[in-house]
Amino acid sequence: MESQQEESAAAALDMIKVLEITSESHKGTKESPDDRSEVASEKQTTDWLTDLDEVEEILNYKFKSKKLLEEALTHASFSDQGFSYERLEYIGDSVLNLLFTKEQYFLYPDLPPGALTRLRSANVNTEKLARVAIKHKLHRYLRHKMPLLEEQIREFSQAILDYPLHSNGLVDAPKALADIVEAAIGAVFIDSNFSIDVVWKIFKNLLEPIISQETLKVHPVTELYEVCQKRNLKVKFVDLWKENTAFDVFIDDQFVGRGTYGLKKEIAQNRAAENALNNIRKILSEKDCSDVDEQNYRVEN
């Protein structure tokens, strides 16, 4: 009896060993959900670190703290932990304005403050900085969870092909593109121990082509008023944006142009002014030719 109990105990021990071996073998051949999640997380981290290295190559600047660069490329929609580029964008905006103020003050010693302000604005506004992001492909590294942004970026990239330097308010630029440029400037500013010289050295070439006094264009609404004022013509904008996303333009109570855009009222008005300008130039050109012909007829007779 005692011998049978010893044999049974030995068999039980052998079975336990077999089960343990089988269990260990099973663990080795099949990952648990937690294991798969950890592997995926490690891969994402590796890919993101590679992305940061590529952005450093674009900027031609090596960050002492890559956490700053990571922050500069993270939209608020990406995480609910409050980690985003918004604070760096705030700093970058101020630094960029200061850099252009300094640069243009010495570059144009005879230009009055108003003209300097317009020139600076043309170089730091949303469309200009969004173009910088597209040109250097910084948008590819933006972390976000905005479903419509990718399509907006594609539309913007296509639209600016018609305006090599700037559209002057005729194209809708995704603000997030400009934001990451300003945030990157803020990140470099902090990482370089608050050196505006380092920031300008890095970003001056990235911001090219810089709009100069010679290449600066007048805003279409401003230009329309100026053209009409010279000829004592009365301009009137009719706001139809809520009804059909449009603006109509009348000059001396005659319809001369229309502009439409559903997402931003301001762009619809700008397009209306541009359309009116194109039409009124034709009208004025024909009128001038008619006046010249009439003068020549009087001289001949």
Side-chain angles (χ1 to χ4, degrees):
M1 181 69 178
E2 191 174 15
S3 175
Q4 288 178 346
Q5 289 177 343
E6 289 176 354
E7 289 177 0
S8 297
L13 287 172
D14 289 340
M15 181 59 71
I16 290 172
K17 289 179 180 178
V18 170
L19 290 172
E20 288 176 346
I21 292 171
T22 303
S23 176
E24 289 299 320
S25 174
H26 181 71
K27 287 181 181 178
T29 57
K30 185 178 181 180
E31 293 179 335
S32 70
D34 288 343
D35 291 335
R36 290 196 296 272
S37 176
E38 186 175 342
V39 169
S41 177
E42 288 176 358
K43 185 179 185 303
Q44 289 175 354
T45 301
T46 302
D47 291 344
W48 178 237
L49 290 175
T50 301
D51 287 349
L52 294 180
D53 290 339
E54 291 175 1
V55 175
E56 285 183 328
E57 290 181 12
I58 293 172
L59 299 179
N60 195 24
Y61 178 82
K62 195 74 174 177
F63 278 83
K64 302 180 187 71
S65 171
K66 281 199 176 182
K67 198 71 176 176
L68 282 169
L69 182 56
E70 181 181 357
E71 184 179 341
L73 297 169
T74 304
H75 188 268
S77 65
F78 187 77
S79 171
D80 58 0
Q81 303 300 317
F83 183 76
S84 78
Y85 60 57
E86 292 178 354
R87 285 168 57 83
L88 288 176
E89 175 212 340
Y90 165 76
I91 293 174
D93 174 67
S94 299
V95 171
L96 187 60
N97 274 275
L98 174 61
L99 286 169
F100 269 103
T101 299
K102 176 185 174 185
E103 178 77 4
Q104 292 170 352
Y105 177 82
F106 292 105
L107 191 60
Y108 302 103
D110 299 323
L111 214 58
L116 287 170
T117 299
R118 287 191 294 274
L119 191 57
R120 180 185 62 194
S121 177
N123 281 290
V124 303
N125 64 25
T126 299
E127 181 184 330
K128 184 64 173 66
L129 297 182
R131 286 170 175 264
V132 173
I134 294 295
K135 179 180 178 181
H136 299 287
K137 299 179 173 58
L138 291 173
H139 61 289
R140 295 183 178 181
Y141 304 96
L142 173 61
R143 299 197 298 178
H144 68 91
K145 292 181 181 178
M146 295 183 289
L148 300 179
L149 181 60
E150 298 302 326
E151 181 59 30
Q152 291 171 351
I153 290 174
R154 281 192 289 271
E155 290 178 358
F156 175 70
S157 301
Q158 187 64 35
I160 60 177
L161 296 177
D162 294 330
Y163 308 96
L165 190 60
H166 205 290
S167 78
N168 275 316
L170 301 177
V171 170
D172 189 7
K175 185 177 180 298
L177 295 181
D179 289 346
I180 58 173
V181 174
E182 290 180 328
I185 290 171
V188 171
F189 178 65
I190 293 175
D191 194 72
S192 64
N193 198 25
F194 313 105
S195 172
I196 61 172
D197 292 332
V198 170
V199 173
W200 187 240
K201 180 180 178 181
I202 292 167
F203 283 93
K204 183 177 181 181
N205 290 334
L206 294 174
L207 292 167
E208 292 287 353
I210 292 174
I211 298 173
S212 66
Q213 179 65 12
E214 293 72 32
T215 58
L216 178 66
K217 292 184 178 180
V218 181
H219 193 277
V221 174
T222 303
E223 185 178 0
L224 179 62
Y225 277 111
E226 289 178 350
V227 168
C228 292
Q229 187 176 18
K230 289 178 182 177
R231 293 177 175 267
N232 294 318
L233 301 173
K234 182 182 178 182
V235 180
K236 180 183 178 182
F237 283 92
V238 178
D239 185 351
L240 303 171
W241 195 75
K242 288 185 178 180
E243 289 80 5
N244 56 13
T245 70
F247 266 84
D248 285 349
V249 182
F250 290 82
I251 295 179
D252 280 354
D253 297 325
Q254 291 188 345
F255 175 78
V256 293
R258 167 173 286 194
T260 62
Y261 188 69
L263 298 180
K264 288 184 181 178
K265 185 175 180 178
E266 181 184 359
I267 291 179
Q269 184 177 17
N270 293 341
R271 290 181 178 181
E274 181 72 11
N275 183 238
L277 277 168
N278 292 334
N279 291 332
I280 198 172
R281 287 189 187 108
K282 294 176 184 177
I283 295 171
L284 293 177
S285 177
E286 291 172 359
K287 184 176 184 302
D288 290 342
C289 289
S290 177
D291 290 345
V292 170
D293 290 342
E294 185 177 346
Q295 289 176 2
N296 289 337
Y297 176 79
R298 287 175 180 175
V299 170
E300 291 172 0
N301 294 277

